[in-house]
Amino acid sequence: MIHGSRDDDREGGGRYGIGLVAVTAAGRAGAAELARVWPDARIYPGTVREALAAAVIQCTGVVCFIATGATVRLLAAVDLLTGKASDPGVVCVDEARRWAVALVGGHSGGANALAERVATALGATAVVTTASDASGSTALDSFGADVGLRVEPGSRLARVGAAVLSGEPVAMYADAVWPLPPLPATVRQLGTPPWTRRDGQPDSGPSIIITDRMITDPVITGRTVVYRPPSLIVGVGASRGAPEQEILDLVDRALADAGLSPLAVRHLATVEAKRDEAGIIAAARTRGWPLVFHPAALLATVNVPHPSEVVRAAVGTPSVAEAASLLGADGAATDSGELVVSKRASAHATVAVARHRPRGRLAIVGLGPGDRDLLTPYAARELARASVIVGLDQYVDSVADLIRPGTRVLASGLGSEEARAAVAVETARAGHAVALIGSGDAGVYAMGSPTLERADGSFDVVGVPGVTAALSAAALLGAPLGHDHAMISLSDLHTPWDVIERRVTAAAEADLVVAFYNPRSRTRTWQLPRALELLAARRPPSTPVGIVTEAFRPGQQVSITTIADLADATTSGLDRVGMTTTVVVGSTQTRVVAGRIVTPRGYRWS
C-alpha cells in the first residue's frame, strides 16, 4: 500500500498547482489541453496508481480523466482519504469531456471550485453535489475561511450543518460583527454569547459560536460549531538568546489566564531589531503563527500603559510587547486594538495580547449592462459573498436569483443615491460584508464615487468592475473607441452646464471620440443638441454617430447616423434618445465600414 504524508507536505508549503492524471488516449488529450492552458497544471507520468498518489501528495488539486468509481477505489487503495477536513480536492472528467465531477474535498479541498474551472476550460458541465451548493447556502466547513475563521477541533460540523440545511432553528452567537457570508434566516443571530447570559441556561439546540474566548460550559458543546476568529495579536519582546520554550510558556500562560484561545491568534509581532532572534522565530514556527516585525520608530508612536526607558535605550522604543500587540499587520496605528493582557515578563521575554475589532468589507459591484452573460463571475461571487446587499430596487430585482438565502437586502428607489451611499458605508463600518450594486460599472457615473467619498479607512474596499455603457454600446456599434476617446455626462443636475460645455469643447478641439452618458431626459432636452453643435463646429458633417438604447436588454435599439443628420431638427432622431441611451460621436478619423463604426487605431503594417 502506498502511503502519502499530505499533512507534512502541506505544513512545509510544498503543495502547489494542479495535478493531471489520465489513462486512455482521450484522457491524455484532455489532460494535455489543460496543461497547455493552465500554467499551474502538470501531467503526472507512471502507472495510474503511482500518478494519482504523487499528484494528491504534491498538488493543491487533482483532475483525473478516469471513471469516478475507479478513482475512489484508487484513492482508498493508496490510503489518501483521511477525512472531510483533509481530503484532497479531486475532480473526475469523463471520456467525452461532458462532465467535471467534484468527487471529494468539495469545500475544504477546493474540488467544487476546481470542477467549475475545468468545466470552463473544456466546455463541460460542472457536477457539484454538496448539499450547501445545491441549496444555494453557505457551507459551514468553509464559513468565514477567507477572513481567517478556524473551526475548533471537536466541533459538530456535520450535525449543525445538517440542521442549517434542513431549516431547523440554529442559534448563532458572536463576540463581534465579522464580515461573513450570509446564513439562512433559520440561523438566529442572537449576539449575546451564552456564557455571559443572565437569563438562565443557553438554548440546548444546535448553535454556532464565534469567539476568541475559551468555552468550558458542557451545555453548549453537544451540538455546537465553534469558530475561532483571528482577533488576537500577541506582542513579544525578548532579550538576546531567549529560549523558544520560555517564550511559548509565557504566551500560553498569558492566553490561559485571560481565558483566550490560541486558535484566535492572528500573528506574533515584535520589533524589527529582533528579526534574527532565534527563539521568537522558532516559537512562531512551532505554533504556525505568522511573525510580523515593526520598526522601533513606529512602535514608539503607540500609547501604552507600561512604557520603559530601559527598553527605549536598548531597542529605540519604550515598548515592544504592548505596542506591537496594538498595531495591525500593516503597521497601521488604529483604534481597533484593545489591550486585554498587559505586559507580562519572564526571565528573558515579555508578552502582551490585544484584541482587534474586525474590519468590515464593502464590495462595489458593477452588474454590467443588463444581459446576464455580461455579468462577470467575479460579480456573481461577490453577490453570494455579501451578507448585506445595497442597491436601486430594479437592480436588486435583476440579480435576485444570485442572492443567497439569509442576505439582508436594502433596496431603495430612484433619487435615493445619497441615502444608499450612507447606509452602505455605515453597514461596512459596523463590520458587515456589504455589496453595493449598480448597473454597468459602479465606479463610472454611478454609486462608487459618492460612496467612497464617505470612506474613512475603517473597512476594506473591493472593486468589482462591470461592463460600462460606453463599452456595451461600442461593442454593438463596431469599434468606435478604437483610438483616444472621452466619456462625458450631459446631466447638469450635479455639474454646472458651463463646466460640461467646456469639457465638450476641449474634447472637440482634441479630436476625441466622445461617448455621452445621460444624454437626454424628459426635462433635459436641449443639452444634447448643444453638445452636438459644439462638436460639429470642429468635425465634418459626415462624422458617424452611434445611438444605442437599452444595450443588451429587452428593447435594445441600435442605429448609426451622422452628426449633421442628428443635429438637424427636421430629420433628427433625438426622440429615440433617453436616459438609457448612449450616444457615441466619432472623431475626424472615424468612418463607417460595412455597417460598423470604426475609429482606426493608426497601425502601420510592415
Side-chain angles (χ1 to χ4, degrees):
M1 180 175 289
I2 299 173
H3 295 275
S5 180
R6 296 182 67 247
D7 290 336
D8 291 345
D9 203 40
R10 178 167 54 242
E11 291 175 3
R15 295 195 301 130
Y16 171 78
I18 306 300
L20 307 173
V21 179
V23 178
T24 66
R28 286 192 291 270
E33 185 169 339
L34 290 183
R36 179 176 58 82
V37 298
W38 290 355
D40 63 337
R42 65 187 179 109
I43 299 172
Y44 275 75
T47 68
V48 63
R49 182 171 167 144
E50 294 170 344
L52 182 59
V56 167
I57 292 170
Q58 297 174 13
C59 297
T60 56
V62 180
V63 180
C64 296
F65 290 84
I66 310 169
T68 56
T71 304
V72 169
R73 288 191 295 272
L74 285 166
L75 287 169
V78 296
D79 198 24
L80 289 172
L81 294 181
T82 57
K84 183 175 182 179
S86 57
D87 281 345
V90 178
V91 172
C92 288
V93 181
D94 66 302
E95 286 282 289
R97 304 188 206 174
R98 293 175 300 176
W99 314 106
V101 182
L103 188 65
V104 293
H107 292 130
S108 58
N112 292 352
L114 182 57
E116 297 285 355
R117 186 181 176 194
V118 172
T120 299
L122 297 181
T125 299
V127 179
V128 176
T129 59
T130 44
S132 57
D133 293 274
S135 65
S137 183
T138 301
L140 291 191
D141 55 358
S142 59
F143 181 62
D146 61 343
V147 297
L149 260 60
R150 303 173 67 183
V151 179
E152 176 81 27
S155 290
R156 309 303 189 190
L157 268 173
R159 292 185 183 180
V160 179
V164 172
L165 292 171
S166 64
E168 183 180 346
V170 176
M172 180 171 173
Y173 309 92
D175 286 341
V177 177
W178 287 85
L180 299 169
L183 290 171
T186 52
V187 179
R188 298 164 296 147
Q189 300 193 28
L190 302 180
T192 305
W195 56 92
T196 64
R197 289 173 57 180
R198 298 180 180 177
D199 56 350
Q201 292 292 344
D203 296 335
S204 59
S207 61
I208 296 170
I209 298 176
I210 304 172
T211 181
D212 56 24
R213 303 176 188 180
M214 297 302 296
I215 300 174
T216 58
D217 190 337
V219 176
I220 60 172
T221 57
R223 297 181 66 192
T224 300
V225 175
V226 178
Y227 292 96
R228 299 303 188 182
S231 56
L232 306 176
I233 295 178
V234 177
V236 180
S239 58
R240 184 61 63 186
E244 172 195 355
Q245 195 57 52
E246 180 182 338
I247 295 170
L248 287 176
D249 289 344
L250 186 59
V251 171
D252 290 343
R253 287 198 302 273
L255 293 171
D257 290 349
L260 301 173
S261 170
L263 289 177
V265 173
R266 185 183 306 175
H267 62 254
L268 298 189
T270 189
V271 67
E272 181 72 37
K274 297 298 178 180
R275 182 173 287 276
D276 61 348
E277 189 62 52
I280 295 178
I281 295 171
R285 182 183 298 117
T286 296
R287 293 296 167 82
W289 291 329
L291 182 56
V292 175
F293 300 92
H294 296 298
L298 178 61
L299 293 174
T301 66
V302 182
N303 292 323
V304 297
H306 304 101
S308 167
E309 290 305 315
V310 174
V311 175
R312 186 197 297 273
V315 293
T317 173
S319 172
V320 174
E322 289 182 337
S325 73
L326 289 166
L327 285 177
D330 58 358
T334 68
D335 61 355
S336 69
E338 171 197 3
L339 201 63
V340 290
V341 178
S342 298
K343 180 173 67 175
R344 305 180 63 161
S346 61
H348 304 93
T350 57
V351 162
V353 183
R355 176 183 287 123
H356 288 253
R357 292 198 306 272
R359 289 173 62 86
R361 187 177 190 274
L362 175 59
I364 299 177
V365 182
L367 302 179
D371 189 290
R372 182 55 60 85
D373 287 344
L374 295 179
L375 184 144
T376 66
Y378 188 7
R381 288 196 301 272
E382 287 298 329
L383 291 175
R385 171 67 181 77
S387 59
V388 182
I389 301 284
V390 180
L392 183 67
D393 47 15
Q394 63 191 53
Y395 298 153
V396 171
D397 291 342
S398 72
V399 293
D401 60 309
L402 299 177
I403 299 175
R404 285 189 167 179
T407 303
R408 182 156 54 109
V409 177
L410 304 176
S412 52
L414 288 169
S416 302
E417 288 83 0
E418 186 174 358
R420 281 197 293 276
V423 74
V425 168
E426 288 304 317
T427 308
R429 189 178 288 139
H432 297 282
V434 183
L436 175 68
I437 63 174
S439 67
D441 185 289
V444 179
Y445 299 120
M447 291 297 299
S449 176
T451 301
L452 292 184
E453 285 180 333
R454 298 169 177 267
D456 58 5
S458 64
F459 54 87
D460 297 325
V461 176
V462 177
V464 183
V467 179
T468 189
L471 299 182
S472 56
L476 294 170
L477 293 169
L481 306 182
H483 213 301
D484 297 338
H485 53 273
M487 295 184 293
I488 299 176
S489 172
L490 294 183
S491 173
D492 55 358
L493 295 178
H494 301 289
T495 304
W497 176 255
D498 62 327
V499 173
I500 296 173
E501 189 162 310
R502 287 200 302 271
R503 291 171 180 171
V504 174
T505 301
E509 292 176 347
D511 197 23
L512 299 175
V513 176
V514 181
F516 286 122
Y517 283 63
N518 308 311
R520 189 172 183 267
S521 69
R522 286 178 296 177
T523 58
R524 295 185 300 100
T525 59
W526 59 268
Q527 286 88 345
L528 178 58
R530 174 57 180 159
L532 292 172
E533 179 184 343
L534 294 172
L535 293 177
R538 294 168 176 81
R539 302 188 184 185
S542 60
T543 299
V545 177
I547 304 172
V548 179
T549 301
E550 300 286 356
F552 294 98
R553 297 174 185 164
Q556 171 184 294
Q557 296 180 8
V558 180
S559 62
I560 296 175
T561 183
T562 65
I563 196 169
D565 285 344
L566 190 57
D568 186 346
T570 62
T571 61
S572 176
L574 289 177
D575 58 336
R576 295 171 293 171
V577 176
M579 287 295 289
T580 60
T581 302
T582 305
V583 177
V584 181
V585 182
S587 70
T588 59
Q589 302 302 309
T590 304
R591 57 183 184 267
V592 176
V593 180
R596 301 282 181 176
I597 299 180
V598 178
T599 301
R601 185 68 184 89
Y603 290 118
R604 293 182 179 274
W605 306 104
S606 56

